[in-house]
Amino acid sequence: MTTEQSAHPPVPTLEAVAALAGVSRATVSRVVNGSTKVTPEVIENVTKAIADLNYVPNRAARSLASRRTLVIALVVPESTAKVFADPFFASIVQGVALHLADTDYTLNMVISSEINPDKTRRYLMGGNVDGALVVSHHSGDHSYAQLGSSLPMVFGGRPLSDAEHNSYFVDVDNISGAAGATEHLIERGRHNIALITGPQDMPAGVDRLTGWRRAMEAHGLDCSLIEYGDFSPLSGMEAMRRLLATGRLIDGLFATNDQMAAGAYSAILETGRSIPGDIAVVGYDDDYFGITATPPLTTVHQPSIGMGERMAQVLVKRIEGEPVDRVTLLPTELIVRQSS
């Protein structure tokens, strides 16, 4: 047998398909991965080129060559009940999935138990993933940042501790959003404005309190009407009952998420007070709790889907060695409805 007879024809590559179809390598990758962001004409051209060249996508071979798994973990250090009850997490997952749809990466979701966090760490460091996204309401979850020297990681929400200042994270401007919500109530003639905020071991709880206080102090208003919840409707109802039980005049309320605002509605209405006649209410998040409230809730819209997309974008760039900002802050927007 001669050398010429035993030689194998060259294996067709993604680049060869792209050249024959007259498109970019990235476009071929989108078609191969079933992206919906490609025109039917381009899909037809790429599919024909794949058939003509006998190209077979081989993710395993590519992964072996690059020592990558092409898997990204989305770690949620919360209880399963909280994850599936809170629309915030659903929006984050949706945003992450939207961005990864145009890449070769697959998403694995890990609901991490606080009882055994080492199990999650072993999984992350066991060569199972190329990087991780960590999203939670709790600041302490930046403890995973210690893995950052070995595994690219991006967090949803800023760290509360200065010791974790090197973390890469995506967040919304909670201070500005809360200040804007409070200014809106003041502009509507409310001056006895109470606050229901979240736990102070959560960045959102801390920053939204800071924004409310900043606006109140700028107008010389009393900042002592404060109660705390855990971002659940029940905690909002109980916090509002405590505020009303003081007997002090309250004509406005800023609740730092829509779930607590919905709970506060119950406490206000059960006393015979009206919304917004007696107490104008503003929430934060712009989720279905606010949309379905009666009256519909004025709230601060935070782009949760966009936050998930940006987290995934930053992580993919980190994995692929591209430069990226360590801190990404997204703007908020006040959505005015009938509650104020």
Side-chain angles (χ1 to χ4, degrees):
M1 182 181 292
T2 66
T3 303
E4 183 177 352
Q5 290 173 321
S6 63
H8 294 286
V11 176
T13 63
L14 199 69
E15 288 76 10
V17 174
L20 183 60
V23 298
S24 69
R25 183 184 185 282
T27 299
V28 175
S29 179
R30 290 189 183 99
V31 174
V32 168
N33 287 285
S35 171
T36 58
K37 297 182 180 179
V38 187
T39 65
E41 182 183 357
V42 169
I43 292 173
E44 182 180 349
N45 291 341
V46 171
T47 302
K48 185 177 185 303
I50 288 172
D52 290 348
L53 292 174
N54 252 345
Y55 172 72
V56 178
N58 190 339
R59 177 169 292 187
R62 293 201 304 273
S63 299
L64 186 62
S66 63
R67 294 188 176 181
R68 289 185 184 170
T69 64
L70 295 178
V71 175
I72 285 173
L74 174 61
V75 181
V76 187
E78 298 277 4
S79 70
T80 303
K82 183 171 287 188
V83 170
F84 289 103
D86 192 333
F88 171 76
F89 295 114
S91 296
I92 292 292
V93 173
Q94 184 179 352
V96 172
L98 280 172
H99 182 77
L100 294 185
D102 280 342
T103 74
D104 288 335
Y105 293 95
T106 298
L107 181 66
N108 279 357
M109 186 172 178
V110 181
I111 299 177
S112 174
S113 169
E114 287 300 311
I115 298 173
N116 189 10
D118 287 340
K119 180 179 179 181
T120 300
R121 291 185 174 87
R122 287 195 300 271
Y123 170 75
L124 294 177
M125 300 309 296
N128 301 294
V129 300
D130 294 331
L133 304 165
V134 183
V135 59
S136 170
H137 290 310
H138 289 269
S139 63
D141 301 322
H142 275 248
S143 60
Y144 287 99
Q146 62 185 300
L147 308 180
S149 59
S150 304
L151 183 73
M153 306 192 80
V154 175
F155 292 84
R158 72 167 181 86
L160 200 56
S161 167
D162 291 339
E164 297 154 355
H165 67 279
N166 289 323
S167 298
Y168 283 75
F169 67 88
V170 177
D171 204 352
V172 296
D173 191 343
N174 283 303
I175 294 177
S176 175
T182 310
E183 287 284 353
H184 170 74
L185 287 168
I186 295 169
E187 289 169 3
R188 293 296 171 98
R190 311 302 168 120
H191 298 102
N192 301 284
I193 303 170
L195 173 74
I196 301 175
T197 192
Q200 297 303 284
D201 66 343
M202 299 182 181
V206 172
D207 290 349
R208 294 172 193 177
L209 185 154
T210 298
W212 169 82
R213 179 173 282 141
R214 184 173 294 178
M216 295 288 283
E217 290 178 345
H219 291 269
L221 300 177
D222 180 18
C223 294
S224 64
L225 284 166
I226 302 175
E227 279 292 344
Y228 300 88
D230 62 7
F231 289 127
S232 70
L234 178 61
S235 72
M237 180 174 67
E238 292 174 342
M240 193 69 218
R241 284 173 175 168
R242 291 193 297 270
L243 286 165
L244 294 173
T246 65
R248 296 174 60 186
L249 175 63
I250 298 173
D251 59 11
L253 170 69
F254 173 44
T256 60
N257 80 332
D258 288 356
Q259 293 191 54
M260 292 195 297
Y265 265 41
S266 299
I268 293 169
L269 297 174
E270 71 186 9
T271 64
R273 293 175 172 88
S274 64
I275 303 170
D278 294 313
I279 301 178
V281 182
V282 178
Y284 201 111
D285 279 342
D286 191 24
D287 61 29
Y288 63 73
F289 283 91
I291 296 169
T292 60
T294 304
L297 179 67
T298 295
T299 186
V300 178
H301 173 78
Q302 62 169 343
S304 302
I305 294 175
M307 185 175 173
E309 286 188 278
R310 190 63 65 86
M311 287 175 65
Q313 180 186 58
V314 171
L315 182 61
V316 169
K317 286 185 176 182
R318 292 200 65 202
I319 292 170
E320 299 183 352
E322 297 180 31
V324 65
D325 291 335
R326 185 180 62 79
V327 177
T328 303
L329 275 185
L330 303 179
T332 60
E333 178 186 2
L334 183 70
I335 307 298
V336 179
R337 300 193 181 106
Q338 284 78 21
S339 69
S340 61

